[in-house]
Structure formats: C-alpha cells, structure tokens
Amino acid sequence: MKLDAPEDGLIAVRNTMSMLAEEKHFHDVIRLAKLAVDAQRALLIRSNKKLGDIYLFWVHAIRQVKGIPEATILAEDLLKLDDLSPNLKFWLFTQLLAHYSLSISPARDPLEFAKYCKNLLDELESADDSFKEGFINNLTFALVDNGALDEAATVIPLMSKFLHKHPYPT
C-alpha cells in the first residue's frame, strides 16, 4: 500500500482507535495515541478535522482509565492551543461543559465557563453538525442548570434544526 500524504497512515490509526474504544480497550487506545502523537505529527493531527479524533479518543480513554480529573487536565491543556480543528475544539468544550455543570465542586465556575462558551457560537459554523449539536445541547443545559434562563433562551433556537432528526437534543 502506497501512502500519498502524511495523514494517510494516521487515518488508519484513527480508525483503529475508534474500534478499540468501541470495544472498550481503553489502555490500547492510550498506548496508540501516545505513539501517534509525537512532536512531528501533533500539529497535523490536532488541526485536521478527521485526525483530530485521535485526541478525542485519547481524552475519552483517559477518562475511562484514569478518571475525569485526568481527562479534564488533558482537555484543558489542548484547549490552550490555537490550532485545534473545529470538531476537536467543540468536542472538548462540550465535554467540559457537561463536567463543570454536573460536578459537585468543579474546578471552574460552571456559569462563567458556559458564558465563555456562549461567546464561541460565532465559530461553531466551521464544525460538523454532530459536534454543533452536542455543544449547543450542553451549553443550553449548563446555562439553564445554573439559572441563566435569559441567556439560554438565545441559544435554544440554534438547537431547533436538530430536533426530531437526532436523539441527542434534550
């Protein structure tokens, strides 16, 4: 098999990680992520819409193996980078919105974090629909759950295109 571009082999890695995560082989996902993400490939992976899933599977596996605090640290560290693909960026924010909203004593104020995320709505168009849907859903939940009903009311209409089409919107 001839690889035409640097990302070709990484697509196979991404797909393998997807299968391993589906089968709950999270230790293997972590090992494969550490092999794939080196200094030379990190930017290519995190900035590519499809390859960014390598980080997504890695954060998910860390959450399953080492717990939510470790996954949160990795997610926060990734969000400090400017060159994330839109899908990866909004998936990370979606996870953190849920985490901070549902935690008994979150590391960040859930309402402040939700308001920060609300300011990202203009950037959301560049993400794929499934990532938009999760982000808008969790943002709405975080705002409502923390009493910011007026702010949530401005976000809810964005969810309307997903209603009766997808099971995720609540």
Side-chain angles (χ1 to χ4, degrees):
M1 176 174 130
K2 182 176 179 267
L3 301 179
D4 294 325
E7 61 266 14
D8 289 346
L10 291 170
I11 290 292
V13 170
R14 179 247 177 247
N15 292 344
T16 301
M17 290 175 74
S18 174
M19 290 186 297
L20 289 168
E22 183 72 26
E23 295 297 320
K24 300 183 180 6
H25 296 289
F26 299 118
H27 286 91
D28 293 329
V29 171
I30 294 167
R31 275 194 292 276
L32 195 50
K34 288 178 179 179
L35 289 172
V37 178
D38 62 16
Q40 293 177 337
R41 295 184 291 236
L43 174 61
L44 171 64
I45 292 170
R46 71 178 177 256
S47 63
N48 181 289
K49 268 189 173 182
K50 191 55 104 175
L51 296 178
D53 288 354
I54 290 172
Y55 280 103
L56 182 155
F57 295 131
W58 190 4
V59 172
H60 177 69
I62 292 289
R63 181 174 53 216
Q64 300 303 317
V65 172
K66 296 184 178 182
I68 292 172
E70 289 291 323
T72 300
I73 291 168
L74 179 55
E76 289 278 6
D77 286 348
L78 285 168
L79 286 170
K80 291 174 186 171
L81 304 172
D82 292 329
D83 46 19
L84 299 180
S85 77
N87 290 349
L88 176 59
K89 177 180 178 176
F90 284 102
W91 184 84
L92 292 168
F93 276 118
T94 299
Q95 302 307 305
L96 292 174
L97 278 164
H99 170 63
Y100 293 137
S101 293
L102 297 172
S103 293
I104 294 171
S105 37
R108 292 177 74 168
D109 179 85
L111 182 55
E112 284 182 27
F113 187 71
K115 287 180 178 181
Y116 174 82
C117 288
K118 186 173 182 266
N119 291 326
L120 299 172
L121 286 171
D122 290 339
E123 300 175 38
L124 189 58
E125 193 55 41
S126 57
D128 293 343
D129 277 355
S130 60
F131 294 92
K132 292 176 190 174
E133 177 185 351
F135 179 78
I136 294 167
N137 185 77
N138 285 11
L139 176 58
T140 304
F141 174 82
L143 291 168
V144 169
D145 194 53
N146 289 282
L149 300 180
D150 290 339
E151 295 212 37
T154 65
V155 178
I156 290 172
L158 300 174
M159 187 59 91
S160 63
K161 80 181 235 178
F162 301 110
L163 296 173
H164 308 297
K165 294 178 186 168
H166 304 280
Y168 192 70
T170 52

mmCIF file of all heavy atoms in Angstrom, residues 127-152:
data_model
loop_
_atom_site.group_PDB
_atom_site.id
_atom_site.type_symbol
_atom_site.label_atom_id
_atom_site.label_comp_id
_atom_site.label_asym_id
_atom_site.label_seq_id
_atom_site.Cartn_x
_atom_site.Cartn_y
_atom_site.Cartn_z
ATOM 1 N N ALA A 127 -17.662 23.723 12.472
ATOM 2 C CA ALA A 127 -17.687 22.345 12.975
ATOM 3 C C ALA A 127 -18.770 21.537 12.257
ATOM 4 O O ALA A 127 -19.737 22.093 11.728
ATOM 5 C CB ALA A 127 -17.942 22.339 14.483
ATOM 6 N N ASP A 128 -18.605 20.227 12.242
ATOM 7 C CA ASP A 128 -19.619 19.340 11.669
ATOM 8 C C ASP A 128 -20.860 19.334 12.558
ATOM 9 O O ASP A 128 -20.785 19.586 13.765
ATOM 10 C CB ASP A 128 -19.067 17.914 11.536
ATOM 11 C CG ASP A 128 -17.951 17.820 10.502
ATOM 12 O OD1 ASP A 128 -17.813 18.743 9.667
ATOM 13 O OD2 ASP A 128 -17.219 16.813 10.524
ATOM 14 N N ASP A 129 -22.004 18.998 11.955
ATOM 15 C CA ASP A 129 -23.282 19.067 12.670
ATOM 16 C C ASP A 129 -23.303 18.282 13.978
ATOM 17 O O ASP A 129 -23.860 18.744 14.965
ATOM 18 C CB ASP A 129 -24.435 18.586 11.780
ATOM 19 C CG ASP A 129 -24.956 19.676 10.860
ATOM 20 O OD1 ASP A 129 -24.484 20.837 10.980
ATOM 21 O OD2 ASP A 129 -25.838 19.384 10.034
ATOM 22 N N SER A 130 -22.727 17.092 13.999
ATOM 23 C CA SER A 130 -22.792 16.290 15.225
ATOM 24 C C SER A 130 -22.055 16.988 16.376
ATOM 25 O O SER A 130 -22.460 16.866 17.532
ATOM 26 C CB SER A 130 -22.211 14.892 14.998
ATOM 27 O OG SER A 130 -20.861 14.978 14.595
ATOM 28 N N PHE A 131 -21.013 17.735 16.072
ATOM 29 C CA PHE A 131 -20.282 18.472 17.106
ATOM 30 C C PHE A 131 -21.044 19.732 17.510
ATOM 31 O O PHE A 131 -21.047 20.116 18.677
ATOM 32 C CB PHE A 131 -18.872 18.816 16.621
ATOM 33 C CG PHE A 131 -18.031 17.582 16.423
ATOM 34 C CD1 PHE A 131 -17.978 16.947 15.189
ATOM 35 C CD2 PHE A 131 -17.309 17.043 17.477
ATOM 36 C CE1 PHE A 131 -17.216 15.806 15.005
ATOM 37 C CE2 PHE A 131 -16.546 15.898 17.307
ATOM 38 C CZ PHE A 131 -16.506 15.273 16.065
ATOM 39 N N LYS A 132 -21.700 20.370 16.546
ATOM 40 C CA LYS A 132 -22.545 21.533 16.849
ATOM 41 C C LYS A 132 -23.662 21.131 17.799
ATOM 42 O O LYS A 132 -23.943 21.823 18.777
ATOM 43 C CB LYS A 132 -23.164 22.091 15.566
ATOM 44 C CG LYS A 132 -22.216 22.725 14.615
ATOM 45 C CD LYS A 132 -22.969 23.147 13.353
ATOM 46 C CE LYS A 132 -22.015 23.558 12.271
ATOM 47 N NZ LYS A 132 -22.701 23.842 11.008
ATOM 48 N N GLU A 133 -24.302 20.040 17.473
ATOM 49 C CA GLU A 133 -25.450 19.565 18.241
ATOM 50 C C GLU A 133 -25.087 19.336 19.707
ATOM 51 O O GLU A 133 -25.773 19.814 20.610
ATOM 52 C CB GLU A 133 -25.961 18.268 17.604
ATOM 53 C CG GLU A 133 -27.093 17.615 18.306
ATOM 54 C CD GLU A 133 -27.445 16.283 17.666
ATOM 55 O OE1 GLU A 133 -26.918 15.945 16.585
ATOM 56 O OE2 GLU A 133 -28.269 15.574 18.263
ATOM 57 N N GLY A 134 -24.012 18.610 19.951
ATOM 58 C CA GLY A 134 -23.599 18.335 21.323
ATOM 59 C C GLY A 134 -23.226 19.597 22.069
ATOM 60 O O GLY A 134 -23.580 19.776 23.235
ATOM 61 N N PHE A 135 -22.503 20.493 21.397
ATOM 62 C CA PHE A 135 -22.082 21.743 22.028
ATOM 63 C C PHE A 135 -23.289 22.588 22.406
ATOM 64 O O PHE A 135 -23.391 23.068 23.544
ATOM 65 C CB PHE A 135 -21.146 22.510 21.090
ATOM 66 C CG PHE A 135 -20.683 23.825 21.656
ATOM 67 C CD1 PHE A 135 -19.682 23.859 22.617
ATOM 68 C CD2 PHE A 135 -21.236 25.015 21.229
ATOM 69 C CE1 PHE A 135 -19.242 25.072 23.147
ATOM 70 C CE2 PHE A 135 -20.804 26.227 21.747
ATOM 71 C CZ PHE A 135 -19.813 26.262 22.709
ATOM 72 N N ILE A 136 -24.204 22.783 21.478
ATOM 73 C CA ILE A 136 -25.388 23.612 21.753
ATOM 74 C C ILE A 136 -26.234 22.981 22.859
ATOM 75 O O ILE A 136 -26.719 23.675 23.758
ATOM 76 C CB ILE A 136 -26.225 23.816 20.465
ATOM 77 C CG1 ILE A 136 -25.429 24.650 19.463
ATOM 78 C CG2 ILE A 136 -27.552 24.495 20.776
ATOM 79 C CD1 ILE A 136 -26.007 24.645 18.058
ATOM 80 N N ASN A 137 -26.391 21.674 22.813
ATOM 81 C CA ASN A 137 -27.169 20.985 23.838
ATOM 82 C C ASN A 137 -26.548 21.187 25.226
ATOM 83 O O ASN A 137 -27.239 21.556 26.183
ATOM 84 C CB ASN A 137 -27.266 19.497 23.513
ATOM 85 C CG ASN A 137 -28.167 18.753 24.472
ATOM 86 O OD1 ASN A 137 -29.383 18.834 24.369
ATOM 87 N ND2 ASN A 137 -27.581 18.044 25.419
ATOM 88 N N ASN A 138 -25.257 20.935 25.347
ATOM 89 C CA ASN A 138 -24.606 21.054 26.650
ATOM 90 C C ASN A 138 -24.498 22.511 27.106
ATOM 91 O O ASN A 138 -24.596 22.791 28.303
ATOM 92 C CB ASN A 138 -23.229 20.388 26.628
ATOM 93 C CG ASN A 138 -23.331 18.879 26.655
ATOM 94 O OD1 ASN A 138 -24.402 18.306 26.488
ATOM 95 N ND2 ASN A 138 -22.214 18.218 26.851
ATOM 96 N N LEU A 139 -24.335 23.417 26.173
ATOM 97 C CA LEU A 139 -24.319 24.836 26.521
ATOM 98 C C LEU A 139 -25.681 25.255 27.068
ATOM 99 O O LEU A 139 -25.764 25.919 28.110
ATOM 100 C CB LEU A 139 -23.940 25.684 25.302
ATOM 101 C CG LEU A 139 -23.981 27.200 25.484
ATOM 102 C CD1 LEU A 139 -23.066 27.642 26.624
ATOM 103 C CD2 LEU A 139 -23.607 27.895 24.180
ATOM 104 N N THR A 140 -26.734 24.862 26.390
ATOM 105 C CA THR A 140 -28.079 25.184 26.857
ATOM 106 C C THR A 140 -28.318 24.602 28.249
ATOM 107 O O THR A 140 -28.809 25.291 29.147
ATOM 108 C CB THR A 140 -29.140 24.662 25.870
ATOM 109 O OG1 THR A 140 -28.874 25.212 24.573
ATOM 110 C CG2 THR A 140 -30.538 25.039 26.310
ATOM 111 N N PHE A 141 -27.958 23.342 28.423
ATOM 112 C CA PHE A 141 -28.121 22.699 29.729
ATOM 113 C C PHE A 141 -27.358 23.452 30.807
ATOM 114 O O PHE A 141 -27.885 23.722 31.891
ATOM 115 C CB PHE A 141 -27.658 21.240 29.687
ATOM 116 C CG PHE A 141 -27.668 20.593 31.044
ATOM 117 C CD1 PHE A 141 -28.832 20.086 31.574
ATOM 118 C CD2 PHE A 141 -26.504 20.523 31.800
ATOM 119 C CE1 PHE A 141 -28.858 19.510 32.837
ATOM 120 C CE2 PHE A 141 -26.504 19.952 33.063
ATOM 121 C CZ PHE A 141 -27.687 19.439 33.584
ATOM 122 N N ALA A 142 -26.099 23.798 30.537
ATOM 123 C CA ALA A 142 -25.264 24.481 31.532
ATOM 124 C C ALA A 142 -25.865 25.828 31.915
ATOM 125 O O ALA A 142 -25.889 26.194 33.095
ATOM 126 C CB ALA A 142 -23.841 24.649 30.998
ATOM 127 N N LEU A 143 -26.368 26.566 30.929
ATOM 128 C CA LEU A 143 -26.968 27.865 31.226
ATOM 129 C C LEU A 143 -28.247 27.705 32.045
ATOM 130 O O LEU A 143 -28.431 28.392 33.053
ATOM 131 C CB LEU A 143 -27.240 28.628 29.925
ATOM 132 C CG LEU A 143 -25.997 29.104 29.167
ATOM 133 C CD1 LEU A 143 -26.361 29.574 27.769
ATOM 134 C CD2 LEU A 143 -25.269 30.198 29.936
ATOM 135 N N VAL A 144 -29.109 26.786 31.633
ATOM 136 C CA VAL A 144 -30.370 26.562 32.355
ATOM 137 C C VAL A 144 -30.093 26.046 33.762
ATOM 138 O O VAL A 144 -30.657 26.536 34.746
ATOM 139 C CB VAL A 144 -31.289 25.581 31.580
ATOM 140 C CG1 VAL A 144 -32.464 25.122 32.433
ATOM 141 C CG2 VAL A 144 -31.778 26.229 30.293
ATOM 142 N N ASP A 145 -29.216 25.064 33.864
ATOM 143 C CA ASP A 145 -28.918 24.448 35.155
ATOM 144 C C ASP A 145 -28.324 25.441 36.146
ATOM 145 O O ASP A 145 -28.442 25.258 37.358
ATOM 146 C CB ASP A 145 -27.958 23.264 34.953
ATOM 147 C CG ASP A 145 -27.877 22.373 36.173
ATOM 148 O OD1 ASP A 145 -28.939 21.925 36.652
ATOM 149 O OD2 ASP A 145 -26.748 22.124 36.639
ATOM 150 N N ASN A 146 -27.712 26.488 35.637
ATOM 151 C CA ASN A 146 -27.104 27.493 36.506
ATOM 152 C C ASN A 146 -27.912 28.785 36.580
ATOM 153 O O ASN A 146 -27.409 29.821 37.001
ATOM 154 C CB ASN A 146 -25.662 27.764 36.058
ATOM 155 C CG ASN A 146 -24.773 26.588 36.378
ATOM 156 O OD1 ASN A 146 -24.378 26.411 37.514
ATOM 157 N ND2 ASN A 146 -24.483 25.768 35.373
ATOM 158 N N GLY A 147 -29.175 28.710 36.150
ATOM 159 C CA GLY A 147 -30.100 29.820 36.334
ATOM 160 C C GLY A 147 -30.022 30.942 35.327
ATOM 161 O O GLY A 147 -30.689 31.965 35.496
ATOM 162 N N ALA A 148 -29.250 30.796 34.273
ATOM 163 C CA ALA A 148 -29.129 31.846 33.256
ATOM 164 C C ALA A 148 -30.155 31.606 32.149
ATOM 165 O O ALA A 148 -29.811 31.360 30.995
ATOM 166 C CB ALA A 148 -27.709 31.883 32.707
ATOM 167 N N LEU A 149 -31.425 31.702 32.513
ATOM 168 C CA LEU A 149 -32.508 31.361 31.582
ATOM 169 C C LEU A 149 -32.582 32.311 30.401
ATOM 170 O O LEU A 149 -32.862 31.880 29.272
ATOM 171 C CB LEU A 149 -33.839 31.324 32.334
ATOM 172 C CG LEU A 149 -33.917 30.321 33.481
ATOM 173 C CD1 LEU A 149 -35.280 30.379 34.160
ATOM 174 C CD2 LEU A 149 -33.611 28.916 33.003
ATOM 175 N N ASP A 150 -32.347 33.596 30.623
ATOM 176 C CA ASP A 150 -32.390 34.546 29.507
ATOM 177 C C ASP A 150 -31.291 34.251 28.484
ATOM 178 O O ASP A 150 -31.522 34.312 27.278
ATOM 179 C CB ASP A 150 -32.257 35.988 30.016
ATOM 180 C CG ASP A 150 -33.497 36.450 30.776
ATOM 181 O OD1 ASP A 150 -34.575 35.848 30.578
ATOM 182 O OD2 ASP A 150 -33.382 37.411 31.557
ATOM 183 N N GLU A 151 -30.107 33.908 28.984
ATOM 184 C CA GLU A 151 -29.019 33.561 28.064
ATOM 185 C C GLU A 151 -29.315 32.254 27.341
ATOM 186 O O GLU A 151 -29.042 32.119 26.154
ATOM 187 C CB GLU A 151 -27.691 33.477 28.823
ATOM 188 C CG GLU A 151 -27.278 34.820 29.376
ATOM 189 C CD GLU A 151 -25.790 34.991 29.410
ATOM 190 O OE1 GLU A 151 -25.098 34.525 28.495
ATOM 191 O OE2 GLU A 151 -25.330 35.632 30.359
ATOM 192 N N ALA A 152 -29.886 31.297 28.066
ATOM 193 C CA ALA A 152 -30.237 30.009 27.442
ATOM 194 C C ALA A 152 -31.285 30.206 26.353
ATOM 195 O O ALA A 152 -31.243 29.531 25.317
ATOM 196 C CB ALA A 152 -30.736 29.038 28.499
#
